[in-house]
Amino acid sequence: MVAVLLTATILAGCISARQVPAEPRHLIYLHGRIVQDQQSLRPLHPEYGYYEMAEITAAFRERGFVVSAEMRPQAIPFDEAVGTVVTQVRQLLNSGVPPERITIVGASMGAAIAFRTSARLQNPDIRFALMGPCLSTNAPAVAVEEDSAPAGRLLVIRDESDVPTRDCPAWNGDTERFPQLQAREIVVNTGLGHGFLYRPLPEWFEPVVAWALAKD
């Protein structure tokens, strides 16, 4: 009897000593318009060069994320593209994935889709990382267009050299208008204009990874 108890104790100790694998973190990557327009995972822009979508998604997978990155059909309506992402996220949630382990990363047009997705999901725990938009102007615009304010944990990264957002006012953290939005803005300066999001540059890639892995 003593031998049996001793064996059970040893086995229990071995099991507790093992590292229990953490639940996977899911990342949905939404590409820019050029990928959709050219129907290529490596489209070429005359000024910014190649959009390295495969390189970007591979970099996220190397960090341990379960990555979903589908190329949108060329003629898909914008509203339908938003609905597709909303459905995808709801499927993850219904399968038991905790919302804090879901991050939607959007670049350029993908960021616009992600912004709308946040307003439709209304889940304050889902994470979003958006490259390219102006947070202070886009958040109110999305609230009007969707008749619902954006919600979630939102990181926006824009580049000082990107002409469309060069004069973007700083985000003032309007909690009254956006009660379910925890937003942070980072401004980088790569000198690449809108092309800063065309490859996994550390200036934006590392903050996005840190945001997706944050525990708070």
Side-chain angles (χ1 to χ4, degrees):
M1 184 66 169
V2 174
V4 172
L5 291 174
L6 181 59
T7 301
T9 302
I10 293 173
L11 288 173
C14 290
I15 293 172
S16 61
R18 293 174 187 166
Q19 185 177 4
V20 178
E23 295 180 46
R25 289 185 180 269
H26 294 260
L27 187 145
I28 300 172
Y29 179 77
L30 306 176
H31 56 73
R33 180 189 297 273
I34 190 172
V35 174
Q36 180 175 334
D37 287 346
Q38 296 189 22
Q39 287 295 285
S40 168
L41 297 180
R42 196 170 185 255
L44 179 61
H45 189 280
E47 179 180 356
Y48 306 132
Y50 286 100
Y51 189 117
E52 304 288 0
M53 181 167 167
E55 187 178 333
I56 292 170
T57 54
F60 281 121
R61 290 190 176 97
E62 288 175 2
R63 294 300 185 92
F65 295 99
V66 177
V67 179
S68 172
E70 299 178 358
M71 184 165 58
R72 294 186 297 274
Q74 190 175 43
I76 187 173
F78 183 82
D79 189 69
E80 185 178 333
V82 176
T84 298
V85 181
V86 170
T87 298
Q88 188 176 0
V89 174
R90 285 176 176 163
Q91 288 173 344
L92 286 174
L93 294 171
N94 292 338
S95 71
V97 177
E100 63 272 14
R101 287 189 168 268
I102 300 173
T103 301
I104 301 171
V105 179
S108 192
M109 184 177 182
I113 293 171
F115 236 136
R116 295 287 193 92
T117 298
S118 74
R120 295 187 190 185
L121 288 172
Q122 287 297 298
N123 191 315
D125 295 321
I126 293 176
R127 300 177 188 275
F128 297 83
L130 314 180
M131 270 75 69
C134 175
L135 177 57
S136 60
T137 58
N138 286 155
V142 169
V144 171
E145 293 162 358
E146 290 291 327
D147 196 25
S148 182
R153 302 182 182 189
L154 200 84
L155 172 67
V156 173
I157 302 177
R158 58 185 175 86
D159 197 296
E160 284 185 358
S161 63
D162 194 2
V163 175
T165 59
R166 183 177 294 168
D167 298 323
C168 173
W171 172 248
N172 61 7
D174 192 340
T175 56
E176 184 175 344
R177 294 176 66 189
F178 306 99
Q180 294 199 89
L181 183 65
Q182 298 181 39
R184 180 190 175 195
E185 182 180 57
I186 296 177
V187 181
V188 300
N189 190 359
T190 65
L192 298 174
H194 204 59
F196 87 97
L197 51 80
Y198 272 39
R199 52 198 63 87
L201 298 178
E203 286 86 347
W204 70 260
F205 182 78
E206 295 300 335
V208 168
V209 169
W211 186 258
L213 295 177
K215 295 182 180 180
D216 58 351

